[in-house]
Amino acid sequence: ACLLSTEHLESLGRVEKRTLFVKQISEVFKNEYILARVLEAAQKSVETKDPMLMVHLSPEDKWHVLNTCTNHISSLFAPHHVFFNEARRAKSYYKSAWYCFTLTCHQNYSAGRWFITPFRPVGDGDCGSLRIRMVLASEQELRDITAGVVSPPEPGMFNGRHDNRWQVFQRF
């Protein structure tokens, strides 16, 4: 699971991604039927190049998947990520905020990890792993994107990875 934020979008052209937890998918979806539906939907996401996995599930399966995700997020979610994300909006670290989440499945093919690995360049074939992710975002940030209040800077995004994250944000 990760938290996406437009915190540095205007100034740096970056969509920040904060990892909340990483688990094997079978640890999250213990029900074999639901796990199979999630994997089928993930395959459809890859085939259609649409990162939004939930659109490929039936309404009944969506309920079970989202309920399972809600349970994991609520039991494992670190409050300091939410507080940190909202601290830039208000002086209080205890501001109540609504967050939305969805499941995505995509692989990032853009270079951009060079600053993380400066002594071991990743080369031209730099790509991320194909992952199924629970993606969280502030409801207010999603509203601001939809209303056009938040948009990418004129000079463009920091790199292709951040452009891909922005596309996920927009699709969300």
Side-chain angles (χ1 to χ4, degrees):
C2 69
L3 172 68
L4 292 182
S5 171
T6 59
E7 171 178 20
H8 296 124
L9 182 65
E10 187 178 337
S11 61
L12 300 174
R14 295 174 55 101
V15 173
E16 301 301 334
K17 180 182 83 175
R18 297 185 184 96
T19 300
L20 302 172
F21 63 85
V22 178
K23 287 186 166 194
Q24 292 290 323
I25 192 163
S26 58
E27 289 180 45
V28 175
F29 299 103
K30 295 188 183 219
N31 179 308
E32 290 181 23
Y33 173 82
I34 294 300
L35 175 60
R37 300 295 77 75
V38 169
L39 294 175
E40 287 171 9
Q43 183 62 40
K44 289 177 184 174
S45 286
V46 170
E47 291 168 1
T48 60
K49 296 183 173 96
D50 180 4
M52 295 302 169
L53 185 145
M54 297 303 294
V55 300
H56 302 290
L57 291 170
S58 72
E60 296 82 19
D61 291 340
K62 285 178 186 176
W63 186 89
H64 291 287
V65 169
L66 292 173
N67 190 47
T68 300
C69 292
T70 300
N71 290 337
H72 277 272
I73 291 168
S74 65
S75 67
L76 300 173
F77 195 79
H80 57 272
H81 288 287
V82 175
F83 295 154
F84 176 80
N85 196 53
E86 289 302 317
R88 65 191 166 84
R89 295 180 183 272
K91 293 182 182 185
S92 171
Y93 280 60
Y94 298 102
K95 181 179 185 288
S96 177
W98 287 91
Y99 277 73
C100 302
F101 71 90
T102 190
L103 281 183
T104 64
C105 179
H106 68 285
Q107 183 172 15
N108 196 333
Y109 291 101
S110 299
R113 293 183 298 167
W114 59 269
F115 67 92
I116 295 173
T117 58
F119 300 110
R120 292 195 178 121
V122 289
D124 293 335
D126 183 21
C127 69
S129 298
L130 178 64
R131 292 190 190 271
I132 297 172
R133 283 193 174 102
M134 289 180 214
V135 177
L136 285 80
S138 164
E139 180 189 38
Q140 187 57 53
E141 284 184 306
L142 292 172
R143 288 178 185 273
D144 289 347
I145 291 168
T146 302
V149 174
V150 172
S151 60
E154 285 299 319
M157 300 300 280
F158 183 74
N159 62 35
R161 288 180 179 274
H162 292 275
D163 189 47
N164 288 341
R165 290 176 191 168
W166 174 249
Q167 290 171 18
V168 168
F169 234 146
Q170 285 183 304
R171 183 72 173 90
F172 196 167

